[in-house]
Amino acid sequence: MPWWIWGWIGILTLTMVFSAREDWAQGVARWKIAVDVFGHALTVMFVLVYFADSLRSPMGRACLPAAVLVGVWTLVRGVEELRIITDDPELSRRDVREYWILAAVVWWVLLFPAFVLGAVAGFRSW
């Protein structure tokens, strides 16, 4: 497994911790936080399964449907969060734009490639 994968996994894990902590502080429903944490854990698993051949056999087939479900859930939760941020009267227009840019970067650079790796690992196992 390439060395940079461990950095990616670390960033995914930190994203999960900070996201759950912030959601907890905002009073988000506990079941949503639990599903988010589970989805982040699966996202880390997608990366591991793709790059570790020893994990691909026992977990590979489950990756394809899980990648689709987690990807859709993450997109829906992201849009929900952005709607809340956009309607926040305390934030300036610039703050809202910065949140949108941050969300796009996190989605397209950090999460989407992991979902694709999970789907590819699932296709390989079938």
Side-chain angles (χ1 to χ4, degrees), residues 83-101:
R83 283 185 177 169
I84 292 169
I85 288 169
T86 302
D87 295 338
D88 190 344
E90 295 179 6
L91 295 176
S92 69
R93 197 176 224 159
R94 179 181 174 164
D95 292 338
V96 171
R97 187 178 72 237
E98 288 173 357
Y99 276 115
W100 274 87
I101 291 169

Side-chain angles (χ1 to χ4, degrees), residues 8-112:
W8 188 11
I9 289 171
I11 292 170
L12 284 170
T13 304
L14 287 174
T15 304
M16 172 181 59
V17 169
F18 287 120
S19 173
R21 196 174 127 243
E22 186 173 329
D23 285 348
W24 186 276
Q26 292 176 352
V28 174
R30 303 302 178 236
W31 70 269
K32 286 184 179 181
I33 296 172
V35 173
D36 285 345
V37 169
F38 183 70
H40 276 319
L42 286 177
T43 304
V44 169
M45 184 195 76
F46 299 150
V47 175
L48 286 173
V49 167
Y50 183 83
F51 286 102
D53 293 332
S54 61
L55 295 175
R56 195 171 304 137
S57 296
M59 294 189 228
R61 286 188 174 195
C63 284
L64 180 59
V68 172
L69 290 174
V70 171
V72 169
W73 172 258
T74 304
L75 185 61
V76 167
R77 284 284 290 140
V79 169
E80 181 183 31
E81 289 288 326
L82 287 173
R83 283 185 177 169
I84 292 169
I85 288 169
T86 302
D87 295 338
D88 190 344
E90 295 179 6
L91 295 176
S92 69
R93 197 176 224 159
R94 179 181 174 164
D95 292 338
V96 171
R97 187 178 72 237
E98 288 173 357
Y99 276 115
W100 274 87
I101 291 169
L102 177 64
V105 168
V106 167
W107 173 257
W108 289 108
V109 174
L110 191 62
L111 297 174
F112 183 73

